[in-house]
Amino acid sequence: MYLEEIFGLKGKTAVVTGGGRGIGQTIAIGLAKAGAEVVIISRSGAAETVRMIRENGGNAYDLCADVTDEAEVHTAVSEIIKRSGKIDILFNNAGICIHKSTLDASIAEWRSVIDINLTGEYIMAREVGRTMIENGIRGTIVNMASMSGSIVNIPQWQASYNASKAGVIHLTKSLAAEWIGYGIRVNSLSPGYIATPMSADVPQELKEAWEPLMPMHRMGKPEELIPAVLYLVSPASGYTTGTDVIVDGGYTCV
Ligand SMILES: NC(=O)c1ccc[n+]([C@@H]2O[C@H](COP(=O)([O-])OP(=O)(O)OC[C@H]3O[C@@H](n4cnc5c(N)ncnc54)[C@H](O)[C@@H]3O)[C@@H](O)[C@H]2O)c1
């Protein structure tokens, strides 16, 4: 009962971007289990995530939008307001990573990472924040950052990703300060290495190089992020805003 009171999400509508697979899919399922209606925004639909949530007795639907496209995001968010009446929670998750040294990466690659990871989160937060303010919703936004926003990963080079995630952490603080007067809380989540399709593409020798650098000598599982997200989106974190929550198995403390 007490846990339900502080962590429960009954009656809340939560939007998850990039929820067709990986961390977004797992968090969408976790939010639904905590009682939220979940709307997944993805580029090509998230039928599998919707099916998994409904099979568990939850409530979900999906909409298509590219988070870098202002018009598509506006249309999707307007559709959610029409169907669900309001948005209480945004898990701003969609992102990409390109492993290339600065001298090898093209400017187009730099731009695509910054565009999706930083500008995409800005477009989504702005559009959803506007609906929260207009509807008087004291909502919560969790922006997906990464430990790469605080440290430089080795041995792979990924300057665009690291810079984008450092940007997300400071965007989060900026929005938290700007919207605190509306009762909207904005925090970021910074995972360490998590086993998902994004990291499955990584060559085996790179994963072997990471292993001794991880104090727990293993990658995290997406489900190990759910409790931190539930904390950040629920009344449990009522006095927490502008914070970056690092869930990295101790990577950044050594
Ligand atoms: N996996 C990790 O080790 C790790 C660690 C820290 C942070 N993260 C972050 O977590 C988030 C999810 O990563 P993941 O590992 O689940 O990756 P993933 O590749 O499995 O999932 C990313 C999702 O984002 C979607 N996406 C990409 N560009 C999009 C766009 N323009 N519009 C809409 N959707 C788009 C993809 O289609 C995919 O569904 C990313 O922001 C990533 O940077 C991942």
Side-chain angles (χ1 to χ4, degrees), residues 21-23 43 66-67 93 95 144-145 161 165 191-192 194 196 198:
R21 66 179 211 182
I23 294 170
R43 279 176 300 190
D66 183 319
V67 296
N93 165 76
M144 179 54 97
Y161 184 82
K165 295 301 188 180
I194 306 293
T196 67
M198 179 187 268

Side-chain angles (χ1 to χ4, degrees), residues 52-242:
M52 290 162 89
I53 290 173
R54 287 183 183 159
E55 274 174 11
N56 273 320
N59 195 3
Y61 59 92
D62 61 329
L63 294 170
C64 290
D66 183 319
V67 296
T68 65
D69 187 314
E70 265 183 274
E72 285 185 20
V73 168
H74 179 73
T75 304
V77 169
S78 306
E79 177 66 19
I80 299 168
I81 299 301
K82 249 189 252 157
R83 283 173 74 164
S84 302
K86 62 181 172 49
I87 299 170
D88 304 281
I89 294 164
L90 169 63
F91 184 61
N92 215 352
N93 165 76
I96 60 164
C97 183
I98 296 177
H99 290 161
K100 271 197 185 175
S101 75
T102 296
L103 299 186
D104 289 335
S106 67
I107 297 299
E109 285 170 325
W110 162 273
R111 287 205 169 108
S112 73
V113 173
I114 299 295
D115 206 24
I116 295 172
N117 294 7
L118 182 57
T119 312
E121 291 201 17
Y122 178 78
I123 291 172
M124 276 302 308
R126 186 167 177 264
E127 199 66 40
V128 170
R130 195 191 304 282
T131 73
M132 288 173 174
I133 291 165
E134 282 171 2
N135 294 307
I137 301 292
R138 300 170 73 81
T140 54
I141 297 176
V142 176
N143 292 325
M144 179 54 97
S146 166
M147 67 174 179
S148 311
S150 305
I151 53 98
V152 174
N153 305 65
I154 51 169
Q156 77 278 19
W157 303 125
Q158 47 179 51
S160 56
Y161 184 82
N162 300 345
S164 73
K165 295 301 188 180
V168 167
I169 293 169
H170 210 58
L171 168 65
T172 300
K173 293 180 198 295
S174 307
L175 296 180
E178 203 170 321
W179 290 343
I180 202 160
Y182 298 104
I184 299 170
R185 295 185 295 104
V186 190
N187 293 289
S188 58
L189 178 72
S190 281
Y193 291 119
I194 306 293
T196 67
M198 179 187 268
S199 45
D201 295 341
V202 168
Q204 189 54 31
E205 58 270 24
L206 192 48
K207 287 188 189 156
E208 280 163 21
W210 291 346
E211 202 272 340
L213 301 170
M214 296 187 285
M216 291 192 185
H217 302 293
R218 69 169 179 88
M219 294 176 83
K221 301 176 202 147
E223 52 273 27
E224 289 177 303
L225 300 174
I226 295 175
V229 176
L230 291 184
Y231 167 69
L232 290 174
V233 302
S234 67
S237 60
Y239 197 53
T240 302
T241 196

